[in-house]
Amino acid sequence: MSFINYAQREINCKIVYYGPGLCGKTTNLQYIYNKTNPEAKGKMISLATETERTLFFDFLPLSLGEIRGFRTRFHLYTVPGQVFYDASRKLILKGVDGVVFVADSQIERMEANIESFENLRDNLQEQGYSLDKIPYVVQYNKRDLPNAAPTTELEEVCNPKRVVSFEAVATKGVGVFDTLKAVAKLVLTELKRGG
Amino acid sequence: MTNQLVMYEEELQQINTVCDQLQRDSNAQAVLVIDKNGQPIATAGDVESLDVTSLSSLTAGNVAATGGIASLLAEKEFAGQFHEGEKTNVHISIVGSRVILVVLFDQRSSLGLVRLRVKRASVELTRILDDLVRKSQSASAPSILAEITDDDIENLFND
């Protein structure tokens, strides 16, 4: 749910990074945080376990510049990827304006990608959203690993609608900002259409 | 976008007035109004030392998690929460099912006083929020979104 603040001339949107456990959602946010000017970002919060697995969510507020005198602010969230945190994932999807589905390119994680993508669809539906309507992009992460599956194969299972997709190596920042820009653009375009 | 939250100058001023009064009447350190998705809406009192953005996101997460617990227990919602610290206490309540009202207070106030004042402020906030929803849904409301062009969006990313 976007928040249009005429009093403070701000457009606020929420983007959620979704995907299976250890696919690199938090790494995406960490890279964005590290490479963004201090004046354009707030503090990054990670609610994680002692072993640095996401327990509830990561949160990063970003400012992307002005449109017609309105500051565009994006709140980036990740969900916990591990299967048993499903209740938390549902909560984080509330009020979402755009989704980045991060797939793990490793061939061994294909099943986990499928399961997470189906879980995204189900949880969106439960909140009254639909993958047919909500702006989303797909990121194929870990492209540098030797066991990475061909992107054509990943497209088959993680991108049935053939939305915009990106190859990425989040640890090195490859594809990270391209993914963010693409989803932010889609969200603003959808807002404009809805408004 | 039926779910969109919109804030106008007039209503924000009214909300600020309610927050200021609540902060004074309850001897609180600070008062925050946050949307349920974690966007800060209004603040009053001593917020200079606070990271309002982070506080808002975490409070909304907390309220969402508590709401999740409520539905597991077949409760509609837990309308209020109280966290007791060594120096600072936090009173959190949901107003009009739409926004979260947070009061930070220390030994200069008490939970009883805060609860009492929050009750009155909640009634006023609910009225303002109802007006806001009506206004944003009316055809006469201005919309920045209608003015945005594809070029505007494109230019935002040309760095």
Side-chain angles (χ1 to χ4, degrees):
Chain A
M1 183 175 76
S2 57
F3 173 29
I4 317 293
N5 193 332
Y6 287 91
Q8 289 171 345
R9 300 187 77 73
E10 281 176 359
I11 298 171
N12 297 277
C13 304
K14 176 176 179 176
I15 291 173
V16 174
Y17 282 68
Y18 211 96
L22 295 175
C23 68
K25 302 173 290 293
T26 302
T27 310
N28 263 269
L29 258 64
Q30 277 166 342
Y31 187 83
I32 293 166
Y33 179 80
N34 289 335
K35 294 291 175 186
T36 306
N37 292 331
E39 64 272 17
K41 69 184 176 190
K43 199 170 157 189
M44 179 166 165
I45 292 171
S46 289
L47 300 181
T49 66
E50 282 177 2
T51 53
E52 299 204 351
R53 300 295 303 273
T54 303
L55 176 63
F56 194 5
F57 58 77
D58 303 300
F59 167 69
L60 174 60
L62 269 190
S63 192
L64 284 188
E66 286 194 0
I67 288 185
R68 305 233 158 193
F70 277 65
R71 206 146 56 109
T72 56
R73 290 160 56 102
F74 286 81
H75 282 185
L76 311 185
Y77 285 84
T78 66
V79 297
Q82 294 180 84
V83 174
F84 55 89
Y85 288 134
D86 198 37
S88 302
R89 279 193 292 278
K90 288 178 190 177
L91 296 177
I92 293 152
L93 280 179
K94 282 186 180 173
V96 65
D97 294 300
V99 176
V100 175
F101 183 79
V102 182
D104 189 328
S105 292
Q106 297 179 92
I107 197 97
E108 299 83 353
R109 297 297 285 162
M110 205 62 102
E111 279 299 313
N113 288 329
I114 297 170
E115 194 181 339
S116 179
F117 189 75
E118 283 173 359
N119 178 254
L120 168 64
R121 179 182 315 184
D122 293 347
N123 284 344
L124 280 173
Q125 235 159 30
E126 219 172 283
Q127 307 287 340
Y129 301 103
S130 154
L131 270 179
D132 294 328
K133 288 188 181 151
I134 198 155
Y136 78 99
V137 299
V138 176
Q139 181 189 79
Y140 302 116
N141 193 23
K142 307 192 188 182
R143 295 309 301 161
D144 58 332
L145 295 185
N147 52 346
T151 45
T152 46
E153 211 172 307
L154 285 158
E155 286 270 295
E156 286 295 324
V157 296
C158 302
N159 196 3
K161 279 189 66 196
R162 298 293 189 272
V163 297
V164 184
S165 63
F166 298 90
E167 295 190 30
V169 183
T171 48
K172 295 180 180 140
V174 178
V176 169
F177 275 98
D178 292 336
T179 308
L180 172 65
K181 283 179 182 179
V183 73
K185 210 183 269 191
L186 285 179
V187 165
L188 290 170
T189 307
E190 179 62 29
L191 261 185
K192 173 176 125 59
R193 197 162 49 184
Chain B
M1 287 273 164
T2 50
N3 244 345
Q4 199 172 76
L5 179 67
V6 180
M7 181 62 64
Y8 302 103
E9 189 75 50
E10 187 187 349
E11 283 74 14
L12 184 62
Q13 273 180 14
Q14 291 173 7
I15 292 172
N16 280 331
T17 305
V18 174
C19 288
D20 284 337
Q21 190 174 356
L22 172 60
Q23 187 258 326
R24 278 196 310 271
D25 291 353
S26 61
N27 285 335
Q29 290 168 282
V31 170
L32 281 79
V33 174
I34 302 163
D35 117 69
K36 272 182 129 181
N37 295 315
Q39 305 277 4
I41 295 174
T43 59
D46 181 17
V47 291
E48 293 298 308
S49 57
L50 297 175
D51 180 347
V52 172
T53 307
S54 301
L55 203 56
S56 301
S57 163
L58 287 174
T59 305
N62 186 344
V63 168
T66 308
I69 294 170
S71 68
L72 285 176
L73 300 177
E75 283 286 337
K76 185 167 164 263
E77 65 181 16
F78 294 123
Q81 289 184 49
F82 173 59
H83 302 294
E84 190 173 1
E86 275 184 22
K87 290 181 191 151
T88 305
N89 308 307
V90 188
H91 184 275
I92 300 172
S93 54
I94 301 171
V95 177
S97 303
R98 291 197 196 94
V99 300
I100 303 163
L101 178 58
V102 181
V103 182
L104 305 180
F105 64 98
D106 57 19
Q107 81 286 351
R108 288 171 293 178
S109 185
S110 68
L111 179 58
L113 178 64
V114 170
R115 272 196 180 138
L116 186 71
R117 301 305 190 207
V118 159
K119 214 170 185 176
R120 192 169 67 187
S122 297
V123 174
E124 291 176 51
L125 284 175
T126 303
R127 181 188 54 75
I128 298 167
L129 291 168
D130 286 345
D131 287 348
L132 191 61
V133 170
R134 269 195 295 276
K135 187 170 173 178
S136 65
Q137 285 171 350
S138 76
S140 60
S143 176
I144 174 68
L145 300 174
E147 291 173 22
I148 295 176
T149 65
D150 289 339
D151 285 344
D152 288 334
I153 295 173
E154 203 61 44
N155 289 338
L156 190 63
F157 299 100
N158 290 339
D159 45 15

